[in-house]
Amino acid sequence: KQEVTQIPAALSVPEGENLVLNCSFTDSAIYNLQWFRQDPGKGLTSLLLIQSSQREQTSGRLNASLDKSSGRSTLYIAASQPGDSATYLCAGFDSWGKLQFGAGTQVVVTP
Amino acid sequence: GAVVSQHPSRVICKSGTSVKIECRSLDFQATTMFWYRQFPKQSLMLMATSNEGSKATYEQGVEKDKFLINHASLTLSTLTVTSAHPEDSSFYICSARVDSIYYGYTFGSGTRLTVV
Protein backbone atom coordinates (compact mmCIF):
# COMPACT_ATOMS: atom_id res chain seq x y z
CA LYS A 1 0.00 0.00 0.00
CA GLN A 2 1.25 3.44 -0.92
CA GLU A 3 2.27 5.55 2.08
CA VAL A 4 2.85 9.27 1.73
CA THR A 5 4.83 11.29 4.26
CA GLN A 6 5.16 15.05 4.44
CA ILE A 7 7.94 16.85 6.22
CA PRO A 8 7.89 19.16 8.05
CA ALA A 9 4.49 18.92 9.70
CA ALA A 10 4.55 22.65 10.35
CA LEU A 11 6.59 25.57 9.11
CA SER A 12 6.68 29.24 10.03
CA VAL A 13 8.64 31.75 7.97
CA PRO A 14 8.82 35.52 7.62
CA GLU A 15 7.34 37.07 4.53
CA GLY A 16 9.67 37.00 1.54
CA GLU A 17 11.44 33.77 2.37
CA ASN A 18 11.25 30.82 0.04
CA LEU A 19 9.32 27.75 1.18
CA VAL A 20 10.41 24.16 0.62
CA LEU A 21 7.86 21.45 1.35
CA ASN A 22 8.78 17.80 1.08
CA CYS A 23 6.69 14.78 0.20
CA SER A 24 7.95 11.21 0.10
CA PHE A 25 6.18 8.07 -1.03
CA THR A 26 6.96 4.40 -0.59
CA ASP A 27 5.83 2.94 -3.89
CA SER A 28 7.81 4.14 -6.89
CA ALA A 29 5.01 2.82 -9.08
CA ILE A 30 3.19 6.04 -8.29
CA TYR A 31 1.38 7.26 -11.36
CA ASN A 32 0.84 10.98 -10.92
CA LEU A 33 1.32 13.35 -8.02
CA GLN A 34 -0.79 16.35 -7.15
CA TRP A 35 -0.20 19.18 -4.71
CA PHE A 36 -3.13 20.86 -2.99
CA ARG A 37 -3.70 23.75 -0.69
CA GLN A 38 -6.30 23.67 2.09
CA ASP A 39 -7.41 26.72 4.03
CA PRO A 40 -8.98 26.18 7.48
CA GLY A 41 -12.47 24.72 7.20
CA LYS A 42 -12.34 24.66 3.44
CA GLY A 43 -11.97 22.14 0.66
CA LEU A 44 -8.85 21.50 -1.37
CA THR A 45 -7.53 23.70 -4.13
CA SER A 46 -5.34 22.03 -6.71
CA LEU A 47 -1.97 23.73 -7.14
CA LEU A 48 0.06 21.55 -9.43
CA LEU A 49 -0.27 18.15 -11.07
CA ILE A 50 2.85 16.27 -12.12
CA GLN A 51 2.14 13.46 -14.51
CA SER A 52 4.17 10.27 -14.38
CA SER A 53 6.27 11.18 -17.39
CA GLN A 54 7.14 14.64 -16.07
CA ARG A 55 9.80 15.76 -13.62
CA GLU A 56 8.41 19.13 -12.66
CA GLN A 57 5.64 21.62 -13.07
CA THR A 58 5.61 25.38 -12.56
CA SER A 59 2.85 27.88 -11.97
CA GLY A 60 3.77 31.41 -11.02
CA ARG A 61 5.72 31.34 -7.77
CA LEU A 62 5.14 27.61 -7.36
CA ASN A 63 7.38 24.85 -8.64
CA ALA A 64 6.97 21.17 -7.93
CA SER A 65 9.41 18.42 -8.77
CA LEU A 66 8.94 14.67 -8.88
CA ASP A 67 11.67 12.06 -8.58
CA LYS A 68 10.05 8.67 -8.76
CA SER A 69 13.29 6.76 -8.33
CA SER A 70 13.93 8.30 -4.92
CA GLY A 71 10.25 8.50 -4.01
CA ARG A 72 10.23 12.24 -3.49
CA SER A 73 8.39 15.34 -4.54
CA THR A 74 9.20 18.87 -3.46
CA LEU A 75 7.05 21.97 -3.62
CA TYR A 76 8.88 25.29 -3.76
CA ILE A 77 7.08 28.53 -3.11
CA ALA A 78 9.17 31.56 -3.96
CA ALA A 79 9.00 34.87 -2.09
CA SER A 80 6.33 33.76 0.36
CA GLN A 81 3.43 36.04 1.27
CA PRO A 82 1.03 35.99 4.25
CA GLY A 83 -1.65 34.80 1.85
CA ASP A 84 0.35 31.60 1.34
CA SER A 85 -0.49 30.57 4.90
CA ALA A 86 -2.42 27.31 4.62
CA THR A 87 -1.98 23.56 4.87
CA TYR A 88 -0.33 21.99 1.85
CA LEU A 89 -1.13 18.40 0.96
CA CYS A 90 0.52 16.12 -1.53
CA ALA A 91 -1.26 13.11 -2.95
CA GLY A 92 0.04 10.33 -5.11
CA PHE A 93 -2.17 8.20 -7.25
CA ASP A 94 -1.75 4.81 -8.72
CA SER A 95 -2.75 3.63 -12.16
CA TRP A 96 -6.26 2.95 -10.85
CA GLY A 97 -6.50 6.59 -9.94
CA LYS A 98 -6.78 6.10 -6.22
CA LEU A 99 -5.36 9.02 -4.22
CA GLN A 100 -3.20 8.56 -1.15
CA PHE A 101 -2.67 11.73 0.86
CA GLY A 102 0.11 12.84 3.13
CA ALA A 103 -0.79 14.39 6.48
CA GLY A 104 0.07 17.85 5.21
CA THR A 105 2.43 20.68 6.08
CA GLN A 106 0.89 23.61 7.92
CA VAL A 107 2.53 26.83 6.74
CA VAL A 108 2.42 30.19 8.47
CA VAL A 109 3.95 33.20 6.75
CA THR A 110 4.35 36.13 9.11
CA PRO A 111 4.27 39.72 7.85
CA GLY B 1 -13.17 24.89 -15.43
CA ALA B 2 -13.61 21.59 -13.60
CA VAL B 3 -15.57 22.90 -10.66
CA VAL B 4 -17.21 20.69 -8.07
CA SER B 5 -19.94 22.26 -5.97
CA GLN B 6 -20.69 20.76 -2.57
CA HIS B 7 -23.68 21.57 -0.37
CA PRO B 8 -24.35 22.29 2.37
CA SER B 9 -21.14 23.82 3.69
CA ARG B 10 -22.28 23.40 7.28
CA VAL B 11 -25.02 21.37 8.89
CA ILE B 12 -26.03 20.72 12.46
CA CYS B 13 -28.38 17.84 13.10
CA LYS B 14 -29.83 15.98 16.03
CA SER B 15 -28.58 12.55 16.94
CA GLY B 16 -30.59 9.86 15.19
CA THR B 17 -31.54 11.92 12.16
CA SER B 18 -30.18 11.62 8.62
CA VAL B 19 -28.26 14.20 6.65
CA LYS B 20 -27.72 14.37 2.90
CA ILE B 21 -24.69 16.01 1.33
CA GLU B 22 -24.64 16.80 -2.38
CA CYS B 23 -21.71 17.01 -4.73
CA ARG B 24 -22.19 18.33 -8.26
CA SER B 25 -19.77 18.66 -11.14
CA LEU B 26 -20.69 21.98 -12.74
CA ASP B 27 -18.90 22.04 -16.05
CA PHE B 28 -17.89 18.48 -16.72
CA GLN B 29 -19.25 14.98 -16.41
CA ALA B 30 -17.90 12.92 -13.58
CA THR B 31 -18.37 9.20 -13.98
CA THR B 32 -16.44 8.68 -10.77
CA MET B 33 -16.63 10.69 -7.57
CA PHE B 34 -14.92 10.12 -4.26
CA TRP B 35 -16.00 10.83 -0.71
CA TYR B 36 -13.48 11.66 1.99
CA ARG B 37 -13.66 12.29 5.68
CA GLN B 38 -11.25 14.55 7.53
CA PHE B 39 -10.77 14.81 11.28
CA PRO B 40 -9.18 17.91 12.83
CA LYS B 41 -5.47 18.20 12.17
CA GLN B 42 -5.52 15.02 10.12
CA SER B 43 -5.37 14.24 6.46
CA LEU B 44 -8.17 13.04 4.23
CA MET B 45 -9.35 9.47 4.48
CA LEU B 46 -11.11 7.95 1.52
CA MET B 47 -14.50 6.57 2.49
CA ALA B 48 -15.88 5.36 -0.80
CA THR B 49 -15.72 5.59 -4.56
CA SER B 50 -18.96 6.45 -6.30
CA ASN B 51 -19.57 5.32 -9.87
CA GLU B 52 -22.43 6.63 -11.96
CA GLY B 53 -25.11 4.02 -12.40
CA SER B 54 -23.59 1.40 -10.16
CA LYS B 55 -23.02 0.64 -6.50
CA ALA B 56 -20.39 2.53 -4.59
CA THR B 57 -17.20 0.85 -3.49
CA TYR B 58 -16.50 1.36 0.20
CA GLU B 59 -13.13 1.34 1.91
CA GLN B 60 -12.44 -1.14 4.63
CA GLY B 61 -14.02 -0.15 7.91
CA VAL B 62 -16.62 2.18 6.41
CA GLU B 63 -20.19 1.17 7.18
CA LYS B 64 -22.19 0.91 3.97
CA ASP B 65 -25.53 1.14 5.75
CA LYS B 66 -24.56 4.25 7.63
CA PHE B 67 -23.00 6.16 4.74
CA LEU B 68 -25.30 5.75 1.77
CA ILE B 69 -23.90 6.91 -1.54
CA ASN B 70 -25.93 7.51 -4.66
CA HIS B 71 -24.50 8.53 -8.02
CA ALA B 72 -27.59 8.70 -10.18
CA SER B 73 -26.27 11.02 -12.87
CA LEU B 74 -23.00 12.07 -14.42
CA THR B 75 -23.07 15.33 -12.48
CA LEU B 76 -24.45 14.44 -9.07
CA SER B 77 -23.34 12.22 -6.24
CA THR B 78 -24.89 12.27 -2.77
CA LEU B 79 -23.72 11.03 0.60
CA THR B 80 -26.39 10.39 3.23
CA VAL B 81 -25.29 9.91 6.80
CA THR B 82 -28.06 7.83 8.33
CA SER B 83 -28.97 7.74 12.00
CA ALA B 84 -26.20 10.19 12.74
CA HIS B 85 -24.35 10.09 16.04
CA PRO B 86 -21.94 12.59 17.58
CA GLU B 87 -18.98 10.46 16.49
CA ASP B 88 -20.05 11.06 12.88
CA SER B 89 -19.27 14.73 13.34
CA SER B 90 -16.52 15.51 10.89
CA PHE B 91 -15.56 17.34 7.73
CA TYR B 92 -16.72 15.54 4.59
CA ILE B 93 -15.25 16.37 1.18
CA CYS B 94 -16.13 15.08 -2.24
CA SER B 95 -13.87 14.88 -5.24
CA ALA B 96 -14.17 14.11 -8.91
CA ARG B 97 -11.66 12.97 -11.44
CA VAL B 98 -11.46 15.34 -14.34
CA ASP B 99 -11.82 13.30 -17.49
CA SER B 100 -8.98 10.90 -16.71
CA ILE B 101 -6.16 10.51 -14.27
CA TYR B 102 -4.01 12.56 -16.61
CA TYR B 103 -5.83 15.65 -15.47
CA GLY B 104 -5.94 15.11 -11.76
CA TYR B 105 -8.70 15.66 -9.29
CA THR B 106 -10.85 18.55 -8.25
CA PHE B 107 -12.44 18.86 -4.82
CA GLY B 108 -15.59 20.31 -3.37
CA SER B 109 -15.49 22.93 -0.64
CA GLY B 110 -16.41 20.45 2.07
CA THR B 111 -19.26 20.01 4.54
CA ARG B 112 -18.83 20.47 8.26
CA LEU B 113 -21.26 18.07 9.96
CA THR B 114 -21.99 18.50 13.64
CA VAL B 115 -24.26 15.99 15.34
CA VAL B 116 -25.68 17.13 18.67
Side-chain angles (χ1 to χ4, degrees), chain A residues 81-103:
Chain A
Q81 303 169 358
D84 295 329
S85 298
T87 296
Y88 291 83
L89 295 158
C90 70
F93 43 113
D94 59 24
S95 56
W96 294 98
K98 203 167 180 179
L99 281 172
Q100 186 68 40
F101 280 91

Side-chain angles (χ1 to χ4, degrees), chain A residues 32 34 38 43 51 97 102, chain B residues 38 43 59 91 101-102 105 109:
Chain A
N32 293 351
Q34 196 165 356
Q38 185 176 31
Q51 296 178 3
Chain B
Q38 186 178 32
S43 191
E59 295 299 300
F91 192 58
I101 61 175
Y102 291 103
Y105 294 79
S109 54

Side-chain angles (χ1 to χ4, degrees), chain B residues 26-102:
Chain B
L26 297 185
D27 48 3
F28 67 101
Q29 293 183 332
T31 55
T32 305
M33 288 190 177
F34 305 85
W35 288 94
Y36 293 84
R37 183 172 181 175
Q38 186 178 32
F39 291 103
K41 305 286 186 183
Q42 294 186 28
S43 191
L44 282 72
M45 290 183 58
L46 179 64
M47 298 174 64
T49 302
S50 156
N51 296 294
E52 186 268 334
S54 63
K55 290 185 178 181
T57 303
Y58 290 82
E59 295 299 300
Q60 192 172 7
V62 177
E63 298 176 62
K64 301 177 184 181
D65 296 332
K66 166 166 275 298
F67 299 101
L68 299 179
I69 291 172
N70 184 276
H71 195 155
S73 77
L74 287 171
T75 59
L76 175 64
S77 177
T78 61
L79 167 67
T80 301
V81 183
T82 63
S83 187
H85 288 99
E87 57 265 32
D88 298 324
S89 299
S90 189
F91 192 58
Y92 294 88
I93 311 177
C94 67
S95 169
R97 193 162 63 211
V98 184
D99 194 22
S100 77
I101 61 175
Y102 291 103

Side-chain angles (χ1 to χ4, degrees), chain A residues 20-97:
Chain A
V20 180
L21 309 179
N22 297 299
C23 172
S24 62
F25 43 91
T26 55
D27 187 355
S28 61
I30 192 171
Y31 202 80
N32 293 351
L33 190 133
Q34 196 165 356
W35 282 91
F36 298 90
R37 167 187 172 137
Q38 185 176 31
D39 293 288
K42 304 293 184 183
L44 274 66
T45 300
S46 179
L47 297 174
L48 290 168
L49 167 69
I50 310 176
Q51 296 178 3
S52 59
S53 59
Q54 299 173 325
R55 285 188 167 267
E56 67 175 337
Q57 278 288 331
T58 298
S59 176
R61 295 184 294 111
L62 276 59
N63 174 275
S65 64
L66 175 63
D67 184 343
K68 293 173 70 174
S69 62
S70 65
R72 292 182 183 177
S73 178
T74 303
L75 177 66
Y76 299 91
I77 303 177
S80 62
Q81 303 169 358
D84 295 329
S85 298
T87 296
Y88 291 83
L89 295 158
C90 70
F93 43 113
D94 59 24
S95 56
W96 294 98

